[in-house]
Amino acid sequence: LISQKEKENAVIPGISGSPVFSVNGQPESSLFSPGKPIITRLSDALNLAPLIFEQNIGKYANIESAALTALNTAFFRDGVFIYIPDHTLVEEPIYIVNLITPKAEAGENLIVHPRNLYLLGKNSSATIIETNINYPKQSKGGVFTNSVTEIVLEENAHADIYQLQNDEAYNNCLVSSKYIHQKRDSVFTHITFTLNGEFVRNNVTAAMAGEGSECHLYGFYHTRHHQQVDNHTFIDHKSPNCRSNELYAGILDGQSSGIFNGKVMVRKDAQKTNAFQANRNIIISDDAAMNTKPELEIYADDVKCSHGATTGQVDKEALFYLLSRGISLAKAQSMLLLGFADEVINKIKQEALKKEIRKLLSARFEG
């Protein structure tokens, strides 16, 4: 069991609203008021919103070509269900704290398959914050978390989703797969920060099925030791007059490795598409490695699309300039690395979360 103190320590200070704790993929609380957002266990959603649940669960997650998604579909027990009714503006962020409790005795292993479903009605708006923490951190047992989330945005819905992966536990693997379905004029923003985790893989698949929709995917990762972080994205432009923007940036240290594979597809009928994709990396260790593969697949002829990737080291001229001003080497490197990360950090609209991530990164870079 997780104590109340451990729960309090897992919460990012300054974020308004009451956090929803999910332990081993099972939410502890359900919030339900008629005409207001529903935040509940996925297992309870069939009774609270049966029609909505049945129309959407399993409709967007790809079980044919994604083996781990099929595994989740076969074995999931519960997860978080969020429903934002039409014309509803949720002012406070919905804060989900995912807690995993591996069995410390005898080094037992744990496999968890959380399944989540987020639905935003017409002209609705919401911000969702997700964090991942393991207790106890010194458990000898390994943990494999295979999470699948389906997200549906109806016409003119707006969703901002922030994901902080800062799990310091040893022998943990996290696979997070998100499937987004966007309808006309909807706007979706997803930002992932990966700071810890022995192996982390993030899959984001967005289907822009409605004309005039927007999709913004951002990510930042700082890898150390033998850590590996993979980011795989797929933005499918199915309708005309849509816009997507994608930026993933990473700093790799130690003997860590990273993978970025981003694909943007523009289908034949998706004329007037604007799609931009970039992956930028800094390697600060001789033993770290980064593999990047941005892709464009275009079948329309009236589009504006670009992609690119860069991998390099800390700018030596900028570092020399700071050193010549009397700044220590550790502080100078920290300033440059934090400035590099700020391109993604500044996309965050929640000030408390932005402050916490800057605090975590500053401590790590200066160390």
Side-chain angles (χ1 to χ4, degrees):
L1 296 177
I2 298 177
S3 67
Q4 185 61 33
K5 184 177 181 180
E6 287 175 324
K7 291 180 182 179
E8 292 173 357
N9 291 337
V11 174
I12 297 173
I15 295 180
S16 59
S18 300
V20 176
F21 293 99
S22 178
V23 180
N24 292 346
Q26 296 183 328
E28 287 190 334
S29 59
S30 295
L31 307 176
F32 171 65
S33 300
K36 294 184 179 181
I38 298 175
I39 307 171
T40 186
R41 301 178 184 89
L42 190 70
S43 56
D44 293 337
L46 188 58
N47 296 323
L48 293 173
L51 183 60
I52 295 173
F53 178 84
E54 292 177 356
Q55 287 177 342
N56 292 281
I57 189 69
K59 295 296 190 296
Y60 309 103
N62 188 345
I63 64 173
E64 296 181 359
S65 60
L68 290 176
T69 298
L71 186 69
N72 174 283
T73 303
F75 290 103
F76 81 86
R77 294 176 58 191
D78 216 337
V80 177
F81 175 82
I82 298 174
Y83 173 61
I84 312 298
D86 295 349
H87 313 291
T88 301
L89 172 62
V90 182
E91 295 183 355
E92 291 187 337
I94 300 170
Y95 184 15
I96 302 170
V97 183
N98 295 297
L99 302 170
I100 304 297
T101 57
K103 298 178 181 179
E105 300 80 10
E108 294 183 55
N109 298 321
L110 176 68
I111 300 178
V112 182
H113 299 282
R115 186 59 170 258
N116 309 308
L117 180 60
Y118 305 158
L119 306 173
L120 286 86
K122 295 180 180 179
N123 304 309
S124 67
S125 177
T127 296
I128 301 172
I129 300 174
E130 303 173 340
T131 59
N132 297 81
I133 300 290
N134 275 19
Y135 285 107
K137 296 180 180 180
Q138 303 303 322
S139 170
K140 295 180 181 179
V143 178
F144 174 38
T145 304
N146 178 30
S147 173
V148 173
T149 304
E150 294 174 286
I151 305 167
V152 182
L153 281 73
E154 296 290 342
E155 294 181 10
N156 199 39
H158 290 65
D160 293 339
I161 296 182
Y162 305 118
Q163 187 173 19
L164 174 58
Q165 299 166 334
N166 190 28
D167 182 3
E168 299 178 13
Y170 181 69
N171 278 348
N172 68 85
C173 299
L174 169 64
V175 177
S176 171
S177 301
K178 286 187 167 67
Y179 296 89
I180 302 97
H181 185 79
Q182 295 185 241
K183 297 187 179 180
R184 187 183 183 95
D185 296 324
S186 62
V187 179
F188 178 75
T189 301
H190 187 272
I191 308 179
T192 302
F193 289 89
T194 306
L195 305 184
N196 279 305
E198 184 177 8
F199 174 81
V200 179
R201 174 167 175 145
N202 296 305
N203 304 310
V204 182
T205 301
M208 307 182 73
E211 184 174 358
S213 56
E214 294 183 21
C215 181
H216 306 278
L217 304 182
Y218 305 109
F220 176 82
Y221 41 95
H222 179 216
T223 61
R224 303 180 294 177
H225 312 304
H226 291 85
Q227 182 183 10
Q228 179 172 331
V229 174
D230 298 356
N231 285 290
H232 298 256
T233 67
F234 177 41
I235 300 179
D236 191 355
H237 285 263
K238 295 184 173 183
S239 302
N241 296 299
C242 293
R243 183 163 67 98
S244 67
N245 189 23
E246 191 172 358
L247 170 63
Y248 279 75
I251 298 172
L252 297 90
D253 199 357
Q255 294 178 296
S256 65
S257 60
I259 294 174
F260 172 78
N261 183 198
K263 182 175 182 178
V264 176
M265 176 178 285
V266 182
R267 298 187 183 271
K268 183 178 180 180
D269 294 332
Q271 303 292 345
K272 304 293 183 181
T273 288
N274 285 348
F276 304 96
Q277 182 190 89
N279 176 229
R280 298 167 188 159
N281 303 283
I282 292 179
I283 295 180
I284 54 179
S285 166
D286 292 338
D287 297 321
M290 181 67 198
N291 299 283
T292 179
K293 185 185 178 185
E295 299 180 63
L296 287 176
E297 189 171 336
I298 303 172
Y299 297 98
D301 53 16
D302 187 5
V303 301
K304 292 181 180 180
C305 299
S306 68
H307 68 166
T310 59
T311 300
Q313 299 176 326
V314 174
D315 190 328
K316 293 183 178 180
E317 290 186 2
L319 185 61
F320 176 78
Y321 175 83
L322 294 176
L323 294 174
S324 68
R325 294 301 184 270
I327 300 173
S328 68
L329 177 60
K331 184 64 176 178
Q333 279 193 321
S334 174
M335 292 172 62
L336 292 175
L337 295 177
L338 193 59
F340 176 78
D342 265 345
E343 189 172 7
V344 177
I345 295 174
N346 287 332
K347 305 292 184 182
I348 301 174
K349 299 175 184 177
Q350 293 291 320
E351 289 300 322
L353 180 60
K354 184 186 296 186
K355 181 180 178 181
E356 177 70 10
I357 290 175
R358 279 210 179 102
K359 176 184 174 183
L360 292 171
L361 289 178
S362 294
R364 291 174 65 155
F365 293 155
E366 290 182 15

